[in-house]
């Protein structure tokens, strides 16, 4: 019998190393040392694996491969402990709040995959550059029943080309989820900016992170692990500031105005207390100054306004409103007259905003204001329609089931808000005051999303319009300069083709053509039981008849192809 001395030595050495690491790990009782010891343990086991299992000593000279192996080993050792601690800190509820098409940054070995609410998930992309973690991650994905919706993307956030190959592109995602990831990211500010670009305009970012300790000893240990010479082993333990700081830096700045110096002083104090001085800048204005003083603020344009106007026209109006309530209020109103009263009340105030917006036009993308009286909603919307606004939204806010407020927004541009935002009210608002529906839904009797997606692509690619479809997320976006699907338009297109006319080549990146488009639309597909649900959203344009015509055409054509 041949004695494999080398093989036995390796089999004995591995448990001995684990025992040594376990003894060394006893200093984990000293909180600040926990992650540092685990990182070194991961590095030791990675050396062992490279030398005696893979037998590739040359990999020790490749810091990238060694760091990948060391971090993967470290993470697999730490994952169970981190998962337990995350339960204590409420992380499962955060993960369960992720909805729609989701980007999970650094899923590691898959601590979070079992925490998703499957009913809220359309698709998940897990961006994980550490290849040694992929096998365990995939096992956890299958165990959680997510193998049909979860895609592992083997790269970092900055690798734009690889991300695009997997269908990860800007403004395509509803949720970005990051759980204890920024700690090991070399450039957290750049990473936060890249993640922000992936979100849809109404998307949300969810993150949970450990940050620099306030304890002197702990912070010193963290600092040691962050030094460059240890990074290939320790892989980084923390970041100096919370990710929220980076998010604030990449968001657009906020400007505020008030006509009362005392109120403004409290605002400045709150801004300083919350470390928002670089983000929010208040301006004292006078009663006769413009309500939206872009020039005084030094701004050429802004994204939106937000306003909580004085509700009442006089102190008598305020008192009579309180007396008219069927039951006494549950809290005391602490608003001063300068906050609560203005000549003409909220109707006059918001009407003044509408008049100013007629001059500012697209220097502001969306003008919005809250309204405190139900009677004001109809008056304001009629005022908008009278002044030629064709793009507005109305929303109802219910606080505790007793207090109701309303929000009204309008835009002089053609970008349409989502259906639930544009018409976010109960049946209390008459239909003639609501904007035209910006979403059209129908069903195709098949279970194959790929088939429906292919049919829609074949249909739309036959028209003179821009169309881009991402099969990975079953979503496409298109822009048309006119009604190019009508019979007359198709006949004209055929005549030009037959005569050898110079047909304009379609370009997905032609921003000028997109801006000038008469219709922008988004088509999303979702499998529901025995059918594929098709949702056509109105993204851009003023012509509701054009949108309605397009939706009807798509529905008819899909019915003919089933």
């Amino acid at each position: 019998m041949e004695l494999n001395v080398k093989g036995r030595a390796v089999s004995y050495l591995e448990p001995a190393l684990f025992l040594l690491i376990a003894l060394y790990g006893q200093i984990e009782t000293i909180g600040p040392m926990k992650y540092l010891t685990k990182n070194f343990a991961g590095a030791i086991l990675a050396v062992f694996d490279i030398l005696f299992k893979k037998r590739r000593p040359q990999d020790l000279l490749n810091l990238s491969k060694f760091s990948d192996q060391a971090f993967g080993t470290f993470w697999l050792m730490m994952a169970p402990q981190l998962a337990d601690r995350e339960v204590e800190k409420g992380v499962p509820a955060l993960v369960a709040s992720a909805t729609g098409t989701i980007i999970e940054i650094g899923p590691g070995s898959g601590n979070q995959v079992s925490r998703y609410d499957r009913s809220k998930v359309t698709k998940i992309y897990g961006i994980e550059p550490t290849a040694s973690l992929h096998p365990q991650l995939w096992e956890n994905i299958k165990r959680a029943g997510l193998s049909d919706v979860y895609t592992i993307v083997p790269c970092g956030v900055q690798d734009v080309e690889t991300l695009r190959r997997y269908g990860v592109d800007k403004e395509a995602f509803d949720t970005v989820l990051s759980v204890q990831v920024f700690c090991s990211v070399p450039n957290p500010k750049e990473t936060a900016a890249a993640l922000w670009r992936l979100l849809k305009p109404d998307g949300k970012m969810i993150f949970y992170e450990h940050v620099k300790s306030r304890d002197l000893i702990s912070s010193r240990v963290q600092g040691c692990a962050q030094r460059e010479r240890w990074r290939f082993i320790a892989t980084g333990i923390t970041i100096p500031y919370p990710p929220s700081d980076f998010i604030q830096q990449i968001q657009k700045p906020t400007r505020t105005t008030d006509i009362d110096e005392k109120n403004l002083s409290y605002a400045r104090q709150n801004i300083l207390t919350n470390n928002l001085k670089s983000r929010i800048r208040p301006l004292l204005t006078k009663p006769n100054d413009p309500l939206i003083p872009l020039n005084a603020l030094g701004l050429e344009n802004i994204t939106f306004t937000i306003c909580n106007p004085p509700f009442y026209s006089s102190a008598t109006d305020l008192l009579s409103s309180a007396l008219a309530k069927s039951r006494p209020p549950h809290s005391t109103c602490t608003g001063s007259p300068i906050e609560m009263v203005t000549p003409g009340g909220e109707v006059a105030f918001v009407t003044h905003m509408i008049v100013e917006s007629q001059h500012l036009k697209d220097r502001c993308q969306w003008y919005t204001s809250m309204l405190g009286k139900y009677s004001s909603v109809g008056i304001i919307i009629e005022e908008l329609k009278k002044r030629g606004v064709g793009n507005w939204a109305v929303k109802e806010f219910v606080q505790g089931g007793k207090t109701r407020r309303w929000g009204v927004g309008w835009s002089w541009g053609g970008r349409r808000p989502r259906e639930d935002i544009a018409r976010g009210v109960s049946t209390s608002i008459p239909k003639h005051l609501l904007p035209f529906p910006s979403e059209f839904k129908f069903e195709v009797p098949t279970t194959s999303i790929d088939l429906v997606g292919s049919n829609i692509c074949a249909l739309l690619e036959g028209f003179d319009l821009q169309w881009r479809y991402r099969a990975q997320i079953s979503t496409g976006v298109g822009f048309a300069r006119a009604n190019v699907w009508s019979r007359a338009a198709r006949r004209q297109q055929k005549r030009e083709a037959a005569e050898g006319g110079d047909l304009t080549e379609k370009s997905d990146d032609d921003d000028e053509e997109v801006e000038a488009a008469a219709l922008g639309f988004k088509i999303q597909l979702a499998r529901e039981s025995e059918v594929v649900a098709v949702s056509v959203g109105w993204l851009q344009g003023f012509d509701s008849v054009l949108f309605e015509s397009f939706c009807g055409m798509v529905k008819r054509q899909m019915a003919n192809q089933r």
Side-chain angles (χ1 to χ4, degrees):
M1 182 176 68
E2 183 180 353
L3 182 64
N4 187 348
V5 178
K6 187 175 182 180
R8 286 195 175 186
V10 171
S11 67
Y12 291 141
L13 184 56
E14 185 170 20
L17 275 174
F18 273 107
L19 179 61
L20 177 63
I21 291 166
L23 292 173
Y24 183 56
Q26 289 303 306
I27 58 175
E28 285 182 6
T29 53
I30 306 174
M33 298 300 293
K34 179 187 297 183
Y35 298 109
L36 190 59
T37 59
K38 289 289 187 182
N39 270 288
F40 276 108
I44 294 170
L45 290 175
V47 171
F48 175 83
D49 187 65
I50 289 170
L51 290 179
F52 298 107
K53 287 188 174 181
K54 295 182 178 178
R55 299 180 183 180
R56 292 179 55 85
Q58 65 270 28
D59 285 355
L60 292 175
L61 302 179
N62 188 323
L63 292 184
S64 176
K65 288 186 177 180
F66 177 66
S67 180
D68 181 284
Q69 182 73 26
F71 182 73
T73 306
F74 152 74
W75 186 259
L76 290 173
M77 295 169 65
M78 284 298 300
Q81 298 178 40
L82 291 172
D84 292 340
R85 184 165 179 78
E86 287 164 1
V87 171
E88 297 173 7
K89 297 294 183 180
V91 172
L94 286 177
V95 178
S97 68
T99 58
T101 304
I102 301 164
I103 282 284
E104 182 180 355
I105 306 301
S109 56
N111 272 13
Q112 313 308 328
V113 293
S114 64
R115 296 167 174 171
Y116 286 105
D117 184 340
R118 186 66 175 81
S119 65
K120 299 178 181 177
V121 171
T122 303
K123 186 77 176 176
I124 307 172
Y125 292 81
I127 299 180
E128 179 51 70
T130 307
S132 57
L133 292 173
H134 291 178
Q136 185 60 50
L137 172 58
W138 188 244
E139 283 300 315
N140 286 331
I141 290 169
K142 290 191 292 184
R143 195 175 296 119
L146 296 174
S147 56
D148 60 329
V149 296
Y150 201 113
T151 298
I152 299 175
V153 183
C155 68
V157 175
Q158 305 294 345
D159 189 348
V160 177
E161 290 187 8
T162 302
L163 292 177
R164 283 180 177 169
R165 278 205 309 273
Y166 280 81
V168 177
D169 210 344
K170 63 180 182 179
E171 295 189 359
F173 294 88
D174 301 290
T175 307
V176 168
L177 175 70
S178 171
V179 178
Q180 299 195 97
V181 173
F182 280 83
C183 57
S184 56
V185 171
N187 302 302
K189 292 182 181 179
E190 290 80 0
T191 300
L195 294 177
W196 191 260
R197 288 192 291 270
L198 295 176
L199 279 174
K200 295 177 181 178
D202 57 345
K204 59 185 175 184
M205 182 176 286
I206 302 171
F207 54 83
Y208 169 82
E209 194 61 65
H210 53 266
V211 295
K212 189 171 184 179
S213 175
R214 296 179 182 178
D215 177 78
L216 179 61
I217 298 176
S218 299
S219 62
R220 291 291 175 85
V221 172
Q222 291 174 330
C224 290
Q226 283 191 297
R227 290 176 184 170
E228 197 63 34
R229 61 177 176 270
W230 293 112
R231 273 196 170 273
F232 72 97
I233 292 179
T235 66
I237 285 180
T238 189
I239 53 176
Y241 302 103
S244 55
D245 287 4
F246 304 138
I247 301 303
Q248 288 177 6
Q249 291 177 28
I250 61 177
Q251 289 175 314
K252 292 185 178 181
T254 301
R255 302 292 185 265
T256 64
T257 66
D258 203 297
I259 61 172
D260 184 70
E261 178 60 49
K262 184 177 181 180
N263 287 342
L264 209 62
S265 67
Y266 284 121
R268 291 192 185 100
Q269 183 179 338
N270 287 327
I271 291 168
L272 291 173
T273 301
N274 291 280
N275 193 30
L276 294 172
K277 185 178 180 180
S278 63
R279 304 291 307 135
I280 303 177
R281 299 178 188 176
L283 173 71
L284 180 66
T285 59
K286 297 177 181 179
N288 293 328
D289 286 345
L291 296 176
I292 312 172
L294 296 190
N295 295 335
L297 291 167
L299 299 173
E300 179 58 32
N301 53 64
I302 57 177
T303 306
F304 65 93
T305 68
I306 184 169
C307 175
N308 185 5
F311 294 155
Y312 305 103
S313 58
S314 65
T316 303
D317 182 23
L318 191 159
L319 292 173
S320 62
S321 177
L323 293 172
K325 294 182 182 294
S326 59
R327 58 180 65 182
H330 292 268
S331 60
T332 303
C333 177
T334 57
S336 63
I338 201 168
E339 298 173 82
M340 304 293 290
V341 177
T342 189
E346 62 183 8
V347 168
F349 193 96
V350 178
T351 299
H352 192 172
M353 287 181 62
I354 296 172
V355 173
E356 287 191 17
S357 77
Q358 283 186 287
H359 300 286
L360 295 173
K361 288 293 175 98
D362 57 2
R363 289 183 67 183
C364 174
Q365 291 182 28
W366 274 88
Y367 303 85
T368 76
S369 179
M370 190 166 79
L371 296 171
K373 298 179 180 180
Y374 173 74
S375 60
S376 303
V377 178
I379 298 173
I380 293 300
I381 293 177
E382 292 291 0
E383 186 69 26
L384 289 171
K385 293 166 69 176
K386 184 178 74 174
R387 293 182 180 273
V389 175
N391 188 9
W392 74 91
V394 57
K395 183 80 173 178
E396 185 178 51
F397 310 114
V398 181
Q399 300 166 275
K402 299 182 182 298
T403 302
R404 292 177 185 267
R405 296 287 185 266
W406 295 265
V408 174
W410 65 96
S411 174
W412 294 95
R415 299 292 177 89
R416 315 299 299 198
R418 274 198 340 248
E419 173 85 354
D420 59 327
I421 295 174
R423 297 163 63 95
V425 294
S426 65
T427 55
S428 61
I429 302 292
K431 287 187 177 181
H432 74 278
L433 296 178
L434 299 177
F436 191 84
S438 58
E439 187 175 33
F440 178 79
K441 295 182 178 181
F442 63 93
E443 296 177 347
V444 180
T446 177
T447 58
S448 175
I449 287 184
D450 292 339
L451 175 62
V452 177
S454 297
N455 288 342
I456 288 177
C457 287
L459 171 68
L460 298 184
E461 287 167 2
F463 300 134
D464 183 17
L465 53 76
Q466 291 191 46
W467 169 248
R468 176 184 289 181
Y469 182 74
R470 298 191 183 97
Q472 297 92 337
I473 56 176
S474 306
T475 300
V477 173
F479 296 91
R481 54 183 171 75
N483 184 343
V484 296
W485 52 87
S486 67
R487 290 182 180 179
R490 283 179 286 165
R491 285 197 296 266
Q492 177 68 21
Q493 187 177 2
K494 287 181 180 179
R495 281 197 301 270
E496 290 180 356
E499 296 169 2
D502 184 18
L503 297 178
T504 303
E505 184 178 354
K506 291 178 281 188
S507 170
D508 289 332
D509 298 316
D510 192 344
D511 292 337
E512 290 185 4
E513 188 172 342
V514 168
E515 287 298 325
L519 175 67
F521 58 90
K522 176 191 284 187
I523 299 179
Q524 293 179 294
L525 309 180
R527 190 170 59 202
E528 295 180 359
S529 186
E530 298 301 314
V531 301
V532 172
V534 182
S535 171
V536 185
W538 190 9
L539 297 184
Q540 181 174 313
F542 295 98
D543 190 344
S544 60
V545 175
L546 187 65
F547 173 64
E548 195 171 20
S549 168
F550 176 79
C551 294
M553 180 274 297
V554 174
K555 181 179 179 180
R556 287 192 303 274
Q557 293 298 322
M558 290 302 100
N560 293 335
Q561 295 183 25
R562 65 186 177 186

